[in-house]
Tab-separated table of all heavy atoms in Angstrom:
chain	number	residue	atom	x	y	z
A	936	LEU	N	0.846	-1.188	0.000
A	936	LEU	CA	0.000	0.000	0.000
A	936	LEU	C	0.882	1.239	0.000
A	936	LEU	O	1.731	1.395	0.881
A	936	LEU	CB	-0.892	0.028	1.247
A	936	LEU	CG	-1.740	-1.215	1.524
A	936	LEU	CD1	-2.429	-1.092	2.880
A	936	LEU	CD2	-2.751	-1.418	0.420
A	937	ALA	N	0.671	2.111	-0.963
A	937	ALA	CA	1.372	3.399	-0.952
A	937	ALA	C	0.732	4.269	0.128
A	937	ALA	O	-0.460	4.143	0.427
A	937	ALA	CB	1.255	4.075	-2.314
A	938	ALA	N	1.521	5.144	0.705
A	938	ALA	CA	1.029	5.989	1.801
A	938	ALA	C	-0.218	6.761	1.397
A	938	ALA	O	-1.156	6.904	2.193
A	938	ALA	CB	2.131	6.943	2.256
A	939	GLU	N	-0.263	7.232	0.150
A	939	GLU	CA	-1.417	8.031	-0.279
A	939	GLU	C	-2.707	7.206	-0.412
A	939	GLU	O	-3.794	7.763	-0.502
A	939	GLU	CB	-1.132	8.784	-1.584
A	939	GLU	CG	-0.822	7.907	-2.763
A	939	GLU	CD	0.670	7.666	-2.981
A	939	GLU	OE1	1.466	7.797	-2.028
A	939	GLU	OE2	1.025	7.333	-4.115
A	940	ALA	N	-2.579	5.885	-0.393
A	940	ALA	CA	-3.765	5.033	-0.458
A	940	ALA	C	-4.412	4.854	0.908
A	940	ALA	O	-5.547	4.409	1.003
A	940	ALA	CB	-3.402	3.665	-1.029
A	941	VAL	N	-3.701	5.244	1.962
A	941	VAL	CA	-4.182	5.014	3.327
A	941	VAL	C	-4.704	6.329	3.910
A	941	VAL	O	-3.945	7.239	4.198
A	941	VAL	CB	-3.052	4.452	4.225
A	941	VAL	CG1	-3.576	4.192	5.627
A	941	VAL	CG2	-2.458	3.202	3.609
A	942	ASP	N	-6.023	6.377	4.041
A	942	ASP	CA	-6.687	7.528	4.663
A	942	ASP	C	-7.533	6.996	5.808
A	942	ASP	O	-8.556	6.347	5.580
A	942	ASP	CB	-7.563	8.253	3.635
A	942	ASP	CG	-8.299	9.445	4.222
A	942	ASP	OD1	-8.220	9.681	5.455
A	942	ASP	OD2	-8.975	10.148	3.441
A	943	PRO	N	-7.124	7.240	7.050
A	943	PRO	CA	-7.868	6.712	8.196
A	943	PRO	C	-9.336	7.136	8.211
A	943	PRO	O	-10.173	6.461	8.793
A	943	PRO	CB	-7.132	7.288	9.416
A	943	PRO	CG	-5.799	7.675	8.912
A	943	PRO	CD	-5.958	8.001	7.458
A	944	GLN	N	-9.638	8.230	7.538
A	944	GLN	CA	-11.025	8.709	7.485
A	944	GLN	C	-11.842	8.016	6.388
A	944	GLN	O	-13.052	8.208	6.301
A	944	GLN	CB	-11.043	10.228	7.237
A	944	GLN	CG	-10.279	11.026	8.267
A	944	GLN	CD	-10.804	10.806	9.683
A	944	GLN	OE1	-12.012	10.823	9.908
A	944	GLN	NE2	-9.911	10.583	10.637
A	945	ASP	N	-11.165	7.221	5.531
A	945	ASP	CA	-11.852	6.595	4.395
A	945	ASP	C	-11.346	5.164	4.190
A	945	ASP	O	-10.764	4.828	3.164
A	945	ASP	CB	-11.638	7.432	3.133
A	945	ASP	CG	-12.471	6.944	1.963
A	945	ASP	OD1	-13.355	6.089	2.162
A	945	ASP	OD2	-12.226	7.408	0.837
A	946	VAL	N	-11.579	4.328	5.167
A	946	VAL	CA	-11.133	2.938	5.123
A	946	VAL	C	-11.854	2.173	4.018
A	946	VAL	O	-11.272	1.290	3.373
A	946	VAL	CB	-11.331	2.258	6.500
A	946	VAL	CG1	-11.019	0.778	6.438
A	946	VAL	CG2	-10.463	2.947	7.542
A	947	GLU	N	-13.104	2.513	3.755
A	947	GLU	CA	-13.886	1.804	2.742
A	947	GLU	C	-13.243	1.879	1.361
A	947	GLU	O	-13.237	0.889	0.628
A	947	GLU	CB	-15.309	2.336	2.688
A	947	GLU	CG	-16.138	1.942	3.898
A	947	GLU	CD	-17.545	2.508	3.853
A	947	GLU	OE1	-17.946	3.071	2.817
A	947	GLU	OE2	-18.243	2.364	4.863
A	948	THR	N	-12.704	3.005	0.997
A	948	THR	CA	-12.047	3.130	-0.313
A	948	THR	C	-10.832	2.224	-0.378
A	948	THR	O	-10.616	1.547	-1.393
A	948	THR	CB	-11.657	4.596	-0.594
A	948	THR	OG1	-12.846	5.374	-0.673
A	948	THR	CG2	-10.885	4.726	-1.895
A	949	LEU	N	-10.054	2.174	0.673
A	949	LEU	CA	-8.889	1.287	0.696
A	949	LEU	C	-9.324	-0.168	0.570
A	949	LEU	O	-8.726	-0.940	-0.175
A	949	LEU	CB	-8.071	1.497	1.970
A	949	LEU	CG	-6.847	0.597	2.139
A	949	LEU	CD1	-5.891	0.739	0.952
A	949	LEU	CD2	-6.137	0.924	3.438
A	950	GLU	N	-10.369	-0.548	1.281
A	950	GLU	CA	-10.884	-1.913	1.176
A	950	GLU	C	-11.291	-2.222	-0.266
A	950	GLU	O	-10.985	-3.297	-0.796
A	950	GLU	CB	-12.075	-2.108	2.119
A	950	GLU	CG	-11.691	-2.082	3.581
A	950	GLU	CD	-12.890	-2.016	4.523
A	950	GLU	OE1	-14.004	-1.653	4.075
A	950	GLU	OE2	-12.701	-2.323	5.711
A	951	ASP	N	-11.978	-1.279	-0.906
A	951	ASP	CA	-12.387	-1.465	-2.299
A	951	ASP	C	-11.178	-1.608	-3.223
A	951	ASP	O	-11.176	-2.437	-4.137
A	951	ASP	CB	-13.259	-0.295	-2.774
A	951	ASP	CG	-14.625	-0.264	-2.106
A	951	ASP	OD1	-15.048	-1.292	-1.529
A	951	ASP	OD2	-15.270	0.812	-2.158
A	952	LEU	N	-10.146	-0.812	-2.996
A	952	LEU	CA	-8.946	-0.878	-3.822
A	952	LEU	C	-8.237	-2.223	-3.659
A	952	LEU	O	-7.705	-2.780	-4.628
A	952	LEU	CB	-7.998	0.274	-3.505
A	952	LEU	CG	-8.484	1.666	-3.920
A	952	LEU	CD1	-7.510	2.737	-3.415
A	952	LEU	CD2	-8.663	1.760	-5.422
A	953	ILE	N	-8.226	-2.756	-2.458
A	953	ILE	CA	-7.613	-4.068	-2.223
A	953	ILE	C	-8.390	-5.142	-2.979
A	953	ILE	O	-7.797	-6.019	-3.614
A	953	ILE	CB	-7.521	-4.380	-0.713
A	953	ILE	CG1	-6.509	-3.433	-0.047
A	953	ILE	CG2	-7.130	-5.836	-0.476
A	953	ILE	CD1	-6.508	-3.479	1.469
A	954	VAL	N	-9.709	-5.054	-2.961
A	954	VAL	CA	-10.529	-6.013	-3.713
A	954	VAL	C	-10.231	-5.910	-5.205
A	954	VAL	O	-10.063	-6.931	-5.883
A	954	VAL	CB	-12.036	-5.783	-3.421
A	954	VAL	CG1	-12.904	-6.586	-4.386
A	954	VAL	CG2	-12.360	-6.151	-1.993
A	955	VAL	N	-10.142	-4.704	-5.727
A	955	VAL	CA	-9.834	-4.505	-7.155
A	955	VAL	C	-8.470	-5.100	-7.490
A	955	VAL	O	-8.314	-5.804	-8.495
A	955	VAL	CB	-9.893	-3.005	-7.525
A	955	VAL	CG1	-9.319	-2.764	-8.915
A	955	VAL	CG2	-11.324	-2.491	-7.448
A	956	ALA	N	-7.473	-4.847	-6.649
A	956	ALA	CA	-6.126	-5.375	-6.895
A	956	ALA	C	-6.112	-6.904	-6.827
A	956	ALA	O	-5.460	-7.562	-7.645
A	956	ALA	CB	-5.126	-4.778	-5.900
A	957	LEU	N	-6.827	-7.481	-5.873
A	957	LEU	CA	-6.912	-8.946	-5.779
A	957	LEU	C	-7.575	-9.533	-7.020
A	957	LEU	O	-7.096	-10.519	-7.589
A	957	LEU	CB	-7.689	-9.364	-4.530
A	957	LEU	CG	-6.904	-9.367	-3.229
A	957	LEU	CD1	-7.842	-9.451	-2.036
A	957	LEU	CD2	-5.912	-10.511	-3.213
A	958	ASN	N	-8.670	-8.938	-7.448
A	958	ASN	CA	-9.350	-9.436	-8.638
A	958	ASN	C	-8.490	-9.282	-9.888
A	958	ASN	O	-8.502	-10.149	-10.766
A	958	ASN	CB	-10.707	-8.751	-8.806
A	958	ASN	CG	-11.722	-9.265	-7.816
A	958	ASN	OD1	-11.674	-10.415	-7.388
A	958	ASN	ND2	-12.652	-8.411	-7.419
A	959	ASP	N	-7.721	-8.209	-9.965
A	959	ASP	CA	-6.795	-8.019	-11.087
A	959	ASP	C	-5.741	-9.121	-11.080
A	959	ASP	O	-5.431	-9.710	-12.120
A	959	ASP	CB	-6.151	-6.635	-10.998
A	959	ASP	CG	-5.283	-6.312	-12.200
A	959	ASP	OD1	-5.671	-6.630	-13.347
A	959	ASP	OD2	-4.203	-5.712	-12.003
A	960	ALA	N	-5.211	-9.428	-9.905
A	960	ALA	CA	-4.216	-10.501	-9.796
A	960	ALA	C	-4.831	-11.843	-10.183
A	960	ALA	O	-4.212	-12.640	-10.900
A	960	ALA	CB	-3.637	-10.561	-8.378
A	961	LEU	N	-6.044	-12.124	-9.733
A	961	LEU	CA	-6.707	-13.380	-10.066
A	961	LEU	C	-6.939	-13.517	-11.568
A	961	LEU	O	-6.781	-14.599	-12.133
A	961	LEU	CB	-8.032	-13.508	-9.306
A	961	LEU	CG	-7.901	-13.823	-7.824
A	961	LEU	CD1	-9.241	-13.636	-7.117
A	961	LEU	CD2	-7.363	-15.228	-7.612
A	962	THR	N	-7.299	-12.426	-12.210
A	962	THR	CA	-7.474	-12.451	-13.667
A	962	THR	C	-6.158	-12.800	-14.341
A	962	THR	O	-6.114	-13.625	-15.264
A	962	THR	CB	-7.990	-11.085	-14.167
A	962	THR	OG1	-9.284	-10.850	-13.596
A	962	THR	CG2	-8.091	-11.046	-15.684
A	963	LYS	N	-5.069	-12.208	-13.876
A	963	LYS	CA	-3.750	-12.503	-14.454
A	963	LYS	C	-3.330	-13.940	-14.188
A	963	LYS	O	-2.721	-14.585	-15.038
A	963	LYS	CB	-2.713	-11.515	-13.923
A	963	LYS	CG	-2.930	-10.109	-14.458
A	963	LYS	CD	-1.963	-9.107	-13.866
A	963	LYS	CE	-2.236	-7.727	-14.432
A	963	LYS	NZ	-1.359	-6.710	-13.851
A	964	VAL	N	-3.655	-14.453	-13.006
A	964	VAL	CA	-3.371	-15.858	-12.681
A	964	VAL	C	-4.100	-16.769	-13.667
A	964	VAL	O	-3.510	-17.685	-14.238
A	964	VAL	CB	-3.787	-16.187	-11.230
A	964	VAL	CG1	-3.896	-17.683	-11.002
A	964	VAL	CG2	-2.802	-15.585	-10.235
A	965	ASP	N	-5.390	-16.507	-13.858
A	965	ASP	CA	-6.183	-17.343	-14.764
A	965	ASP	C	-5.648	-17.285	-16.192
A	965	ASP	O	-5.544	-18.310	-16.863
A	965	ASP	CB	-7.654	-16.925	-14.739
A	965	ASP	CG	-8.342	-17.274	-13.434
A	965	ASP	OD1	-7.811	-18.113	-12.664
A	965	ASP	OD2	-9.419	-16.706	-13.169
A	966	GLU	N	-5.296	-16.091	-16.659
A	966	GLU	CA	-4.765	-15.952	-18.018
A	966	GLU	C	-3.449	-16.704	-18.168
A	966	GLU	O	-3.219	-17.381	-19.172
A	966	GLU	CB	-4.574	-14.472	-18.356
A	966	GLU	CG	-5.870	-13.718	-18.529
A	966	GLU	CD	-5.689	-12.211	-18.607
A	966	GLU	OE1	-4.555	-11.700	-18.389
A	966	GLU	OE2	-6.691	-11.520	-18.871
A	967	THR	N	-2.593	-16.596	-17.172
A	967	THR	CA	-1.296	-17.275	-17.220
A	967	THR	C	-1.484	-18.785	-17.206
A	967	THR	O	-0.868	-19.511	-17.987
A	967	THR	CB	-0.409	-16.834	-16.030
A	967	THR	OG1	-0.245	-15.415	-16.087
A	967	THR	CG2	0.946	-17.502	-16.079
A	968	ALA	N	-2.356	-19.272	-16.324
A	968	ALA	CA	-2.602	-20.712	-16.227
A	968	ALA	C	-3.210	-21.250	-17.516
A	968	ALA	O	-2.787	-22.299	-18.014
A	968	ALA	CB	-3.508	-21.019	-15.039
A	969	GLN	N	-4.178	-20.553	-18.069
A	969	GLN	CA	-4.805	-21.008	-19.303
A	969	GLN	C	-3.800	-21.038	-20.443
A	969	GLN	O	-3.793	-21.965	-21.251
A	969	GLN	CB	-5.990	-20.119	-19.664
A	969	GLN	CG	-7.185	-20.355	-18.774
A	969	GLN	CD	-8.343	-19.437	-19.096
A	969	GLN	OE1	-8.296	-18.646	-20.018
A	969	GLN	NE2	-9.408	-19.546	-18.307
A	970	SER	N	-2.937	-20.054	-20.486
A	970	SER	CA	-1.928	-20.009	-21.539
A	970	SER	C	-0.961	-21.185	-21.440
A	970	SER	O	-0.701	-21.885	-22.420
A	970	SER	CB	-1.162	-18.688	-21.455
A	970	SER	OG	-0.067	-18.686	-22.333
A	971	ARG	N	-0.453	-21.406	-20.246
A	971	ARG	CA	0.537	-22.483	-20.075
A	971	ARG	C	-0.072	-23.870	-20.181
A	971	ARG	O	0.485	-24.750	-20.818
A	971	ARG	CB	1.260	-22.326	-18.747
A	971	ARG	CG	2.141	-21.103	-18.752
A	971	ARG	CD	3.121	-21.098	-17.638
A	971	ARG	NE	3.844	-19.843	-17.658
A	971	ARG	CZ	4.626	-19.436	-16.699
A	971	ARG	NH1	4.814	-20.188	-15.647
A	971	ARG	NH2	5.248	-18.287	-16.791
A	972	MET	N	-1.204	-24.071	-19.546
A	972	MET	CA	-1.825	-25.396	-19.575
A	972	MET	C	-2.460	-25.662	-20.937
A	972	MET	O	-2.501	-26.795	-21.394
A	972	MET	CB	-2.856	-25.530	-18.460
A	972	MET	CG	-2.248	-25.427	-17.066
A	972	MET	SD	-0.897	-26.575	-16.748
A	972	MET	CE	-1.828	-27.972	-16.197
A	973	GLY	N	-2.943	-24.609	-21.589
A	973	GLY	CA	-3.556	-24.768	-22.902
A	973	GLY	C	-2.584	-25.312	-23.925
A	973	GLY	O	-2.964	-26.048	-24.841
A	974	ARG	N	-1.321	-24.957	-23.780
A	974	ARG	CA	-0.298	-25.490	-24.693
A	974	ARG	C	-0.187	-27.005	-24.568
A	974	ARG	O	0.085	-27.694	-25.543
A	974	ARG	CB	1.062	-24.853	-24.411
A	974	ARG	CG	1.187	-23.449	-24.974
A	974	ARG	CD	2.591	-22.909	-24.770
A	974	ARG	NE	2.470	-21.823	-23.805
A	974	ARG	CZ	3.335	-21.517	-22.883
A	974	ARG	NH1	4.432	-22.200	-22.744
A	974	ARG	NH2	3.133	-20.512	-22.066
A	975	LEU	N	-0.389	-27.510	-23.351
A	975	LEU	CA	-0.269	-28.953	-23.129
A	975	LEU	C	-1.529	-29.711	-23.512
A	975	LEU	O	-1.458	-30.848	-23.958
A	975	LEU	CB	0.042	-29.233	-21.652
A	975	LEU	CG	1.395	-28.754	-21.153
A	975	LEU	CD1	1.500	-28.988	-19.658
A	975	LEU	CD2	2.518	-29.470	-21.879
A	976	THR	N	-2.673	-29.072	-23.326
A	976	THR	CA	-3.937	-29.774	-23.556
A	976	THR	C	-4.514	-29.508	-24.933
A	976	THR	O	-5.579	-30.018	-25.260
A	976	THR	CB	-4.977	-29.370	-22.492
A	976	THR	OG1	-5.254	-27.968	-22.629
A	976	THR	CG2	-4.506	-29.700	-21.094
A	977	GLY	N	-3.831	-28.685	-25.717
A	977	GLY	CA	-4.342	-28.357	-27.039
A	977	GLY	C	-5.638	-27.575	-26.984
A	977	GLY	O	-6.445	-27.632	-27.893
A	978	GLY	N	-5.838	-26.847	-25.900
A	978	GLY	CA	-7.031	-26.026	-25.757
A	978	GLY	C	-8.218	-26.746	-25.151
A	978	GLY	O	-9.258	-26.143	-24.915
A	979	MET	N	-8.090	-28.052	-24.883
A	979	MET	CA	-9.198	-28.780	-24.265
A	979	MET	C	-9.364	-28.315	-22.828
A	979	MET	O	-8.391	-28.068	-22.133
A	979	MET	CB	-8.918	-30.296	-24.249
A	979	MET	CG	-8.865	-30.938	-25.585
A	979	MET	SD	-8.652	-32.729	-25.476
A	979	MET	CE	-7.274	-32.945	-24.365
């Protein structure tokens, strides 16, 4: 977390940003896994 992301008066925004970052990471995980495993399974 960058310092500017932390506002003690607005915890809800930080919570939302963490959810967005987690979902972004999960999307990248899925794309990476599909790419690597897809090469082995021929897309099945």
Side-chain angles (χ1 to χ4, degrees):
L936 307 173
E939 61 266 23
V941 181
D942 179 355
Q944 303 302 314
D945 188 10
V946 174
E947 289 178 9
T948 296
L949 178 57
E950 291 169 342
D951 291 343
L952 291 174
I953 292 170
V954 169
V955 169
L957 279 166
N958 286 330
D959 186 41
L961 286 168
T962 297
K963 291 176 180 178
V964 163
D965 290 343
E966 290 169 353
T967 302
Q969 287 178 3
S970 172
R971 292 195 185 169
M972 297 306 273
R974 282 185 248 144
L975 294 175
T976 63
M979 294 184 310

